Amino acid sequence: ICSVVAFVLIFGVPLMTVEDNGSNSSYVEHIIEDKLDLSIINLSIVDVASDSVKIVSVETEDTSVSTVGDLVLKELGVSEKCIKKVFLENDVVIVDFTEDSIVLHSGTSGEMAILDSLAKTFVENLKYKNIIFRVNGSNYESGHIVFGFDEKYY
């Protein structure tokens, strides 16, 4: 048992999963934080109207995925806390928005800019290449865009 404890302490890897919304998901906020061993994060800010991406380098001491998501939203002019949680499920990053998130009510192009910016920033800063957006633990659905529960954005 000592070697198991040492493995967990050294590598920070949980050996059990946590039930989350009925699925067998590993809560990995801290694992993803380990992947972001950076003090400068390159945020990919998408302008849908001009079909361009602006890279904004931000220096931060807190490189948790939630903070990075908040930095992207702030760069896009969204000041409220919109992301409920970020976790990993089968090597896919899941971004779960709050039910009353302004992201869902920002118009089609605004919503696409936010989702594209978050997806590009997470994919380019993490080793995980797939992302799924959800709302309050259910499939992503706004007045403009609908994704299935396990539909990958990337």
Side-chain angles (χ1 to χ4, degrees), residues 16-89:
M16 64 179 75
T17 58
V18 178
E19 289 296 315
D20 182 29
N21 296 327
S23 66
N24 196 21
S25 304
S26 297
Y27 179 77
V28 294
E29 178 77 20
H30 67 283
I31 293 174
I32 293 176
E33 287 174 17
D34 291 343
K35 307 282 188 248
L36 286 173
D37 189 21
L38 308 167
S39 61
I40 297 179
I41 303 295
N42 291 319
L43 308 177
S44 299
I45 306 303
V46 175
D47 182 346
V48 175
S50 66
D51 196 28
S52 63
V53 178
K54 173 177 74 170
I55 303 299
V56 177
S57 296
V58 177
E59 190 169 341
T60 179
E61 291 180 16
D62 181 0
T63 57
S64 69
V65 176
S66 295
T67 298
V68 172
D70 290 341
L71 290 171
V72 169
L73 294 173
K74 182 179 176 186
E75 189 65 33
L76 289 164
V78 177
S79 58
E80 69 175 61
K81 180 90 170 140
C82 297
I83 298 174
K84 185 175 180 179
K85 64 180 173 177
V86 179
F87 61 99
L88 186 68
E89 187 174 272

